[in-house]
Amino acid sequence: MLNSLSISETEETGRVSERFRRIRFRDIIRGVPWIPVTILVIFLVCGLFGSFITPHDPLKTDLRAVKKPPFFQQAGDMKYLLGTDAIGRDILSRIITGAGVSLQVGFAVVVFAGALGALVALLSAYLGGWVDTILMRITDMFLSMPYLIILIALAAVLGPSKNNVILIMAVLGWAGYARVLRSEVLRIKNADFIKLAIVARAGKARIMFQHIFPNIINTLVVLATLQLGNVIIMESSLSFLGLGVPPPEPAWGSMVADGRIIMNTAWWVSTWPGIAIMLVVLSSNLLGDWLRLRLDPKFRQL
Amino acid sequence: MINYILRRLIQAAICLFGISIIVFLLSHLSGDPALLMAPPEAKPEDIQALRVVLGLDKPLYVQFWMFISKAVQGDFGQSIRWGKPCLELWLMRFPNTLLLGGAAMAFTFVVGIPTGILSAVKAGRWFDNFGKAFALAGQSMPVFWVGLMLMLLFAVALGWLPTSGMGTWQHLLMPAFTLGWYFTAAITRMSRSAMLDVLDSEYIKMARIKGLPEYVVILKHGFRNAMIPIVTLAALNIVTLLNGTVITETVFNWPGIGLLIVNSIFARDYPMVQTCVLIASALFIFTNLIVDVLYAYIDPRIKYQ
Amino acid sequence: MISNDNILVVQDLKTYFYTSRGVVKAVDGVSFELKKGETLGLVGESGCGKSITCFSIIRLVPPPAGHIVGGKVLLHGEDLLIKSEKEMTRIRGSRITMILQDPMMSLNPLFTIGEQIAEPIRYHQKLGKLEVWEKVKEMLRLVHIPSPEVRMGEYPHQMSGGMRQRISGAMTLSCQPEILIADEPTTALDVTIQAQFLSLLKEIQQKVNLSMIVVTHDFGIVARICDRVAVMYAGKIVESAETRELFNNPAHPYTVALLNSLPKMEEKVDKLYSIEGQPPELHALPPGCSFAPRCPQVKEICLRDFPSQKEITLDHYASCWLHG
C-alpha cells in the first residue's frame, strides 16, 4: 500500500526567519488610504518648499491690510485668500510656512524618541536581569509624569526655542516606545532564529541590532506614525502658551493664540491654523491606523 | 492582596522620589535661582543674603534633603508672586479643578463608553462608522482649539454662554466639554476595541452555545470582561485630563491649578511651579495605584501573581 | 444503546462565507443522520468544514461573512433552520449543546465555575436557587470532579486542563440535552488525560442516553468511541460507514490515504507517509471531485463531474467514481 502512493513534497518552512513576514512594497501599496496620504504629502511639500509657494512673505506686515476676512466674506480679497491677522500678515502664507515648523518638530521628536525608546527596549528586554529592572523603573518613572505639565515647566525654564522643544519632547517621550517595544523584543527573543544565531556564536550586540531590531521596525513605524499627531498637538499647545517656537517664526499654535484676543472681530485668525493642525493630525492618525492593520492585524490593543 | 498593595506602594514611592529629584533641579536648570527670584534692582549683597536664606550656599544634596523633608511635612515654601505659602494657594484652587475634572469625566464615561461598546456590538453598521469618525476627529483636534471654537460658536456668535471665569453652571459647560472631548474620543476607541476583542473570544461563543439570551451574553460576559481593559486604559489616561486642565483653564480663565501653573511659570515663581508639578505627579502616581488595586479586585487572576 | 430512530437528520446543508477573495463554500451539501444514542465521528483535515458544519447545526455561524444558504437540519423532524432566533436560543444548551476545543478559553476567567455551570440551568429550567446549586454539584459529580462544594467557588485558572474540559462538559450537559457535539474535545489535552476524558464521555453517554457528534482529525479517537464515521473533504462528506467497516474496507482514496498516514507500531518505515499536495482553496474549488488533484487513482471523469453518493455495501456510502 505504501508503494502506490508517493511521499509528500510539502516543504513550506523555508528560512526560519521568514516566519516574521517581510513586507513587500506591492503588499503595502494595496489599499493605501489615499486621502490622508495626499493631505500629508501636501503639507510636507508646504513644509519643504514653503518659501517658494507662499503668495506673500509670512513675516511681512502690512498695516493697511489689517484684519482682512477670508476671500468668501464681504470685505474679503482674493489677494489674501484666508484673510490677514492683526498686523496685516497673510494667514495662508503663515500656515504654509508653519507646516514646516510643525513637521520639523514632529519628525525630529518622533525619530529621536523612537530611537531612544528602541535602544532602551532592546537593552532591557534582551539583556534582562538588573539592566531590565533598572531601565524599566526609569521607564515607569517617565511614564508616570504628567507629560504636559513637566513639558511646560521645562520649556519655561529653558526658554522658548524650536530646538528646546524638540529636545524636551524627545527626552520625555521615549518611555512610551520603550514599553511597547520591550514586549515585542521579549516575544521575539524566544524565536527559533534567535536561538540559531546564539548557537552560531553571534555576539549580543549583533543579535540585538542585526536580528531583533529589523523585526521591531514594523511596530516602531506604526507607533511613530501614531505619535506624530500627538507631538504636533503638544508642540502647538506649547506655542499657544508662548513657550514653544518663538516669534517671528510662524507656528500654528501661536497663530491661534494671536487670534484669540481678536476673536470677536476676526474669527478666521484662530480658526484656519486649527484646521491645519486637525488635518495633519487626522491624516497621520488614519495612516497610522492603516499601517497598524497592515503590518499586524492582531494589533488592536494599542 | 495586601502583599500586592504593599509592593505597588513601594514602587510608587520610588517613582515619586525620582520625579522629585527632577522637580528639585528645575529651578537650578536655568542658572542661579537667587538671581532669578530676586527683584531686578537688588544689590549683590542682597542677592547673597537671599542665597543664604534660601539655603543655596549649602551643597546640592543638603538642599535636596531640605526640600524633601519640608515637602513631606507640607511646607513647599512661599510663593514669590503671591507671598503666601504655596500649599495654601494650591489647596485654594484645587477644588475648582476638581469640579471641572469631575464634570469632564462624567461627560466622558456617560458618552464615551456606551458609544464605544455599542460600536463594537454593531460592528460594521452605520453606528459604528459614525462612532469611529467621531472618535478619530476628536482625537485629532488640539484642546485649545476646540475650546476656542466652542467659545466662538456659543459665546461670540450665539451669545448663549459666557466666555470665561467660573460661577454658574453655564460657565462650567464649555470648559467641561472641552476638557472631556479628547478623553471621550480616546475612550470610545478603547471601548470599541476592547469589546471587539472580548466578543471574539471562546467564552462568548460558549455563552451563546449554552443558550443564554443575547443581552446576557453581551452585558454579563462581554461587558464585564471588556471593562477590565477599558477601566485600566481609562484610568491610565486620566493624566490626559490633568494635562488638559492646563490648556482648558488657560483658554477659559478657569481659576484652577492648571491656570495656576501657567501663571506661576510666567511669573518665574519657582516654588509655586515646583509645588504644582510635584503634587500633580503624586496625584497621578497614586491614582494609578488605586486603579491597579481595583483592577486586581475585578480580575481575580492578578491577585495570585 | 442505539435505537433505530434518527434524532438528527442533516440534509444538503450549505454554509458559505462571502469574503473579499470570493465565496468560500465551507460546507457544500453535507447530509448525514444521527441515531439516538449513537456516536458519529466527523473526520477530516483542518479546514475541511467539520467545525462549521457543527456551528451551522446550532446556527452560530459568525456574521457578517457567514451564511447558511441551504439545506435542512431536522431535530425530531423539526427544521432548525427555519426557527426564529428566540426559539433557537431555547434549543441551544437544552436540547443540543457543544463543547469546544480549548477548555481554558471556553471558560470566562472572571466568573466562578459554579456560576458558569448554573447559568444554563437558570435560563432553561425553572428551579429555585438552592435546587440550582444542588444541580451544579450533581453535574460536577457526574464529571468526576472531587469536592464539588469547594470547586464551585473556584475560578477557571485554578484548575488543570483536564478538569477544565470536564467542567465544560458539566456546563453544557446540565440541562440534559439530547445531542452533544464535541469539537476536537481532546486536542488541547495531554495525551494521558485524553483517554480519561473519552471514557468519561462514553460513561455519560450511557447514563443519559446521549447522542454525540465528535469532530476530530484523530482516527484513534474514532476507533475508541465512534459507532459511525463520516469523512469530510473540502466541505463535502466523501465517505461514511460504521467505524469497523470503514477501517476494514475504506472505499474512497482519501480515506485510504488518511488511514495510511497513521503510523503503525509493527511496521518499520524510513519516511512517514503523508498525502501529496495541499487541501484546495475553498473559494476556488476545481470542477469535479475536489480530491481529484491529489488522488492517486484519478480518472478523467473525476476532473469533470462530482460523483454522487452511492451505497457500496450495507450502510456504507461513498462519493467516488471508482465505485460506480
Side-chain angles (χ1 to χ4, degrees):
Chain A
M1 249 190 306
L2 213 63
N3 307 332
S4 57
L5 294 151
S6 56
I7 295 163
S8 164
E9 64 190 18
T10 51
E11 273 294 282
E12 50 178 359
T13 41
R15 277 178 54 215
V16 186
S17 62
E18 232 117 62
R19 275 212 288 151
F20 295 88
R21 266 184 68 208
R22 292 287 157 76
I23 307 299
R24 287 182 292 267
F25 196 66
R26 186 170 37 95
D27 284 330
I28 298 185
I29 285 294
R30 180 162 37 124
V32 161
W34 287 112
I35 300 182
V37 169
T38 313
I39 294 180
L40 282 175
V41 165
I42 292 178
F43 278 104
L44 202 59
V45 165
C46 288
L48 290 171
F49 306 110
S51 35
F52 302 113
I53 323 178
T54 58
H56 299 265
D57 179 352
L59 304 177
K60 185 167 129 243
T61 68
D62 184 355
L63 292 170
R64 291 163 302 162
V66 157
K67 291 209 267 183
K68 271 193 169 302
F71 73 96
F72 48 79
Q73 269 196 244
Q74 227 185 2
D77 206 330
M78 279 306 279
K79 197 164 136 206
Y80 302 103
L81 271 179
L82 295 179
T84 62
D85 66 1
I87 52 178
R89 294 178 293 195
D90 176 33
I91 302 270
L92 179 60
S93 309
R94 303 196 85 223
I95 288 194
I96 293 179
T97 318
V101 174
S102 291
L103 289 174
Q104 270 176 40
V105 173
F107 281 120
V109 170
V110 151
V111 164
F112 288 138
L116 192 52
L119 184 62
V120 169
L122 280 170
L123 290 173
S124 179
Y126 191 69
L127 297 176
W130 58 268
V131 172
D132 187 20
T133 317
I134 293 189
L135 283 177
M136 275 302 110
R137 284 284 160 267
I138 299 182
T139 309
D140 279 339
M141 195 180 80
F142 272 87
L143 283 175
S144 47
M145 292 200 254
Y147 187 68
L148 187 59
I149 296 178
I150 301 221
L151 195 62
I152 292 179
L154 283 175
V157 161
L158 293 176
S161 100
K162 193 159 51 164
N163 290 338
N164 283 346
V165 169
I166 295 179
L167 178 69
I168 302 172
M169 286 213 267
V171 162
L172 289 179
W174 60 267
Y177 295 91
R179 162 124 354 134
V180 176
L181 289 174
R182 178 176 171 271
S183 358
E184 277 291 289
V185 175
L186 282 177
R187 191 177 59 91
I188 297 176
K189 201 168 98 160
N190 293 316
D192 288 341
F193 72 96
I194 296 293
K195 295 195 179 131
L196 285 175
I198 296 178
V199 165
R201 308 253 239 115
K204 288 202 170 131
R206 193 186 179 134
I207 294 184
M208 284 196 291
F209 297 110
Q210 276 192 347
H211 293 273
I212 302 188
F213 182 65
N215 284 301
I216 58 173
I217 284 192
N218 286 356
T219 318
L220 186 52
V221 166
V222 170
L223 277 176
T225 314
L226 289 171
Q227 280 292 82
L228 185 64
N230 276 346
V231 172
I232 293 182
I233 289 188
M234 284 292 150
E235 176 270 313
S236 61
S237 305
L238 277 179
S239 303
F240 175 77
L241 291 172
L243 296 166
V245 178
E249 202 168 357
W252 289 338
S254 37
M255 286 170 72
V256 175
D258 289 340
R260 183 180 168 200
I261 328 161
I262 50 175
M263 243 184 11
N264 287 326
T265 48
W267 60 267
W268 53 92
V269 183
S270 286
T271 310
W272 298 124
I275 293 186
I277 298 176
M278 189 185 79
L279 284 174
V280 173
V281 174
L282 189 57
S283 306
S284 75
N285 279 347
L286 282 171
L287 184 62
D289 269 352
W290 175 79
L291 274 178
R292 175 171 52 187
L293 280 172
R294 215 80 199 63
L295 294 180
D296 189 342
K298 294 192 202 95
F299 241 154
R300 270 173 297 151
Q301 283 294 358
L302 263 187
Chain B
M1 191 66 174
I2 303 290
N3 267 344
Y4 182 70
I5 298 182
L6 275 175
R7 265 191 295 141
R8 292 290 289 108
L9 267 171
I10 297 180
Q11 261 183 315
I14 298 180
C15 266
L16 197 53
F17 187 70
I19 294 180
S20 59
I21 297 183
I22 298 180
V23 169
F24 167 70
L25 291 174
L26 264 182
S27 56
H28 291 263
L29 268 177
S30 57
D32 187 355
L35 231 108
L36 292 163
M37 294 198 239
E41 63 272 5
K43 298 192 222 58
E45 314 87 69
D46 298 331
I47 299 184
Q48 183 56 28
L50 184 58
R51 268 203 207 103
V52 174
V53 164
L54 292 175
L56 289 171
D57 49 337
K58 307 222 180 55
L60 220 56
Y61 60 88
V62 175
Q63 289 184 48
F64 182 61
W65 174 246
M66 281 168 36
F67 173 69
I68 292 280
S69 43
K70 281 202 218 157
V72 165
Q73 293 169 34
D75 177 7
F76 288 91
Q78 287 259 358
S79 157
I80 296 178
R81 193 178 180 281
W82 285 283
K84 286 213 200 131
C86 292
L87 189 60
E88 189 185 307
L89 284 166
W90 193 89
L91 284 172
M92 253 174 33
R93 303 267 236 168
F94 184 57
N96 302 337
T97 301
L98 220 51
L99 174 63
L100 185 58
M105 274 213 277
F107 173 65
T108 298
F109 289 135
V110 166
V111 173
I113 297 185
T115 308
I117 291 191
L118 207 54
S119 260
V121 171
K122 304 232 176 282
R125 312 234 276 265
W126 69 269
F127 188 85
D128 185 19
N129 292 328
F130 163 74
K132 281 196 280 194
F134 164 74
L136 207 50
Q139 279 190 298
S140 309
M141 297 186 216
V143 173
F144 60 87
W145 191 72
V146 171
L148 282 179
M149 291 299 109
L150 281 175
M151 235 200 262
L152 200 57
L153 179 61
F154 289 107
V156 174
L158 294 172
W160 289 349
L161 298 171
T163 52
S164 57
M166 195 175 94
T168 62
W169 65 268
Q170 285 104 327
H171 283 99
L172 183 57
L173 223 44
M174 283 198 297
F177 190 82
T178 306
L179 184 58
W181 176 251
Y182 194 86
F183 198 37
T184 307
I187 284 231
T188 306
R189 289 183 108 192
M190 286 177 211
S191 305
R192 176 180 183 274
S193 153
M195 194 64 179
L196 277 180
D197 274 341
V198 164
L199 287 178
D200 235 355
S201 41
E202 296 286 284
Y203 54 82
I204 293 285
K205 263 190 227 168
M206 207 57 190
R208 291 197 178 114
I209 289 176
K210 288 196 281 194
L212 303 179
E214 189 68 5
Y215 74 87
V216 172
V217 173
I218 295 197
L219 284 178
K220 183 175 175 192
H221 286 269
F223 183 67
R224 183 154 167 197
N225 285 70
M227 277 315 274
I228 296 178
I230 292 177
V231 163
T232 321
L233 292 174
L236 287 177
N237 280 282
I238 278 189
V239 73
T240 59
L241 227 49
L242 197 56
N243 285 336
T245 58
V246 175
I247 303 278
T248 311
E249 290 181 10
T250 308
V251 168
F252 289 99
N253 247 322
W254 183 271
I257 46 180
L259 192 55
L260 185 60
I261 295 181
V262 173
N263 286 341
S264 313
I265 285 181
F266 281 112
R268 296 269 183 271
D269 189 355
Y270 286 109
M272 196 67 232
V273 174
Q274 282 180 333
T275 310
C276 291
V277 175
L278 204 55
I279 300 186
S281 308
L283 272 177
F284 179 46
I285 293 178
F286 285 103
T287 312
N288 265 358
L289 182 75
I290 297 179
V291 163
D292 280 347
V293 169
L294 276 177
Y295 182 24
Y297 175 71
I298 303 179
D299 185 346
R301 290 174 290 182
I302 299 289
K303 278 193 273 182
Y304 294 98
Q305 263 173 9
Chain C
M1 240 192 354
I2 304 177
S3 80
N4 260 321
D5 303 320
N6 282 331
I7 185 173
L8 183 73
V9 176
V10 174
Q11 281 177 2
D12 201 30
L13 182 63
K14 290 195 172 94
T15 303
Y16 294 173
F17 283 81
Y18 297 91
T19 72
S20 50
R21 289 230 190 119
V23 181
V24 175
K25 298 186 181 171
V27 180
D28 197 15
V30 162
S31 306
F32 60 84
E33 291 130 19
L34 182 69
K35 296 193 176 51
K36 191 158 174 60
E38 184 180 41
T39 305
L40 171 68
L42 211 50
V43 194
E45 289 170 296
S46 300
C48 68
K50 17 189 232 295
S51 294
I52 307 280
T53 306
C54 300
F55 281 110
S56 302
I57 293 176
I58 52 174
R59 281 179 51 189
L60 279 183
V61 176
H67 293 280
I68 304 177
V69 299
K72 292 202 179 127
V73 176
L74 303 171
L75 175 68
H76 287 304
E78 296 172 53
D79 188 1
L80 294 180
L81 297 183
I82 56 174
K83 286 199 181 286
S84 71
E85 184 55 34
K86 206 165 176 204
E87 291 172 310
M88 277 311 296
T89 313
R90 264 186 254 123
I91 292 179
R92 283 185 217 121
S94 61
R95 296 177 69 193
I96 308 185
T97 184
M98 203 163 152
I99 54 177
L100 302 176
Q101 182 176 324
D102 189 341
M104 183 68 226
M105 299 286 120
S106 307
L107 297 170
N108 191 329
L110 300 184
F111 294 103
T112 61
I113 299 177
E115 174 63 26
Q116 299 190 52
I117 300 179
E119 271 182 317
I121 304 177
R122 269 193 234 122
Y123 283 101
H124 291 293
Q125 296 175 349
K126 308 280 178 232
L127 293 177
K129 236 181 171 178
L130 281 172
E131 292 170 310
V132 170
W133 291 120
E134 275 311 305
K135 197 89 205 270
V136 170
K137 277 189 257 181
E138 190 189 310
M139 293 312 302
L140 284 173
R141 272 183 236 119
L142 181 68
V143 295
H144 300 315
I145 302 262
S147 342
E149 313 78 32
V150 179
R151 294 302 191 183
M152 258 169 53
E154 290 183 350
Y155 291 91
H157 64 276
Q158 296 172 269
M159 313 259 133
S160 71
M163 285 173 83
R164 281 185 222 131
Q165 193 66 312
R166 281 184 273 159
I167 289 165
S168 270
M171 222 172 34
T172 51
L173 294 170
S174 49
C175 299
Q176 282 109 10
E178 303 173 70
I179 303 178
L180 170 68
I181 307 177
D183 192 353
E184 312 239 21
T186 54
T187 309
L189 299 176
D190 291 334
V191 172
T192 42
I193 309 287
Q194 280 180 16
Q196 249 182 37
F197 189 72
L198 292 175
S199 311
L200 180 66
L201 281 182
K202 262 314 202 198
E203 183 192 316
I204 296 179
Q205 179 181 42
Q206 270 157 15
K207 262 196 206 157
V208 301
N209 204 14
L210 192 61
S211 318
M212 292 205 290
I213 302 178
V214 179
V215 171
T216 179
H217 57 267
D218 184 346
F219 270 108
I221 297 182
V222 171
R224 279 196 71 139
I225 62 170
C226 297
D227 305 307
R228 282 189 67 86
V229 192
V231 179
M232 274 188 79
Y233 187 78
K236 297 188 174 65
I237 294 190
V238 295
E239 185 166 0
S240 64
E242 258 182 72
T243 311
R244 184 136 277 196
E245 168 70 13
L246 192 91
F247 276 100
N248 290 335
N249 299 316
H252 195 284
Y254 179 58
T255 317
V256 173
L258 279 181
L259 288 170
N260 276 340
S261 352
L262 295 175
K264 297 179 187 50
M265 257 176 61
E266 311 85 47
E267 290 180 23
K268 251 201 152 133
V269 293
D270 289 327
K271 273 201 170 106
L272 283 180
Y273 167 80
S274 53
I275 311 178
E276 188 177 317
Q278 298 275 10
E281 304 264 351
L282 289 174
H283 58 87
L285 286 171
C289 174
S290 318
F291 188 60
R294 301 166 82 184
C295 184
Q297 293 164 294
V298 59
K299 300 195 284 203
E300 216 196 295
I301 188 174
C302 304
L303 298 169
R304 277 181 300 138
D305 299 324
F306 188 81
S308 52
Q309 201 180 56
K310 302 263 183 342
E311 189 166 2
I312 304 191
T313 60
L314 182 62
D315 218 18
H316 181 164
Y317 302 87
S319 302
C320 182
W321 288 117
L322 283 176
H323 301 274

